[in-house]
Amino acid sequence: MFLKSLLAGVALAVAVFLASFLIPDYTVSTLYSIVTTIIVFASIILSAFVSFGGRSGNPSRKNQLRWSILLLVAAIPSFIGFIVTFYF
């Protein structure tokens, strides 16, 4: 499951790179940082929902935590793309 999330993140990073040719006002590193920020904030919001939930045996709480982790894994390729395009 984490591999699928990582592959989705790679696909998103490729889509951001290709979109950079269509959006000339932003640099590639800016687009990568925007995408990474949105994904990480979504993961933080899901984590907050998990912490506000009830007991740990709640099945919806486990799903929210899984989605939170999957979003963080999907953000890794965009973060790497940001680092590479910003510094090189």
Side-chain angles (χ1 to χ4, degrees), residues 26-55:
Y26 296 101
T27 63
V28 180
S29 62
T30 304
L31 292 174
Y32 277 132
S33 68
I34 290 170
V35 169
T36 304
T37 303
I38 291 171
I39 293 174
V40 169
F41 278 149
S43 177
I44 290 170
I45 290 170
L46 281 175
S47 295
F49 284 145
V50 169
S51 66
F52 289 137
R55 298 178 175 216

Side-chain angles (χ1 to χ4, degrees), residues 11 14 29 36 41-42 46 53 69 72 82-85 87:
V14 169
S29 62
T36 304
F41 278 149
L46 281 175
I69 293 170
L72 280 179
F82 166 71
I83 297 295
V84 168
T85 56
Y87 289 110

Side-chain angles (χ1 to χ4, degrees), residues 1-86:
M1 183 178 321
F2 294 113
L3 181 62
K4 288 181 183 178
S5 178
L6 186 65
L7 291 176
V10 169
L12 183 64
V14 169
V16 168
F17 180 73
L18 294 176
S20 69
F21 296 115
L22 300 174
I23 306 171
D25 295 338
Y26 296 101
T27 63
V28 180
S29 62
T30 304
L31 292 174
Y32 277 132
S33 68
I34 290 170
V35 169
T36 304
T37 303
I38 291 171
I39 293 174
V40 169
F41 278 149
S43 177
I44 290 170
I45 290 170
L46 281 175
S47 295
F49 284 145
V50 169
S51 66
F52 289 137
R55 298 178 175 216
S56 62
N58 190 356
S60 64
R61 183 176 174 169
K62 290 179 183 178
N63 275 342
Q64 289 171 344
L65 186 60
R66 185 180 312 128
W67 275 101
S68 176
I69 293 170
L70 289 174
L71 283 172
L72 280 179
V73 170
I76 291 171
S78 292
F79 181 70
I80 292 171
F82 166 71
I83 297 295
V84 168
T85 56
F86 188 75

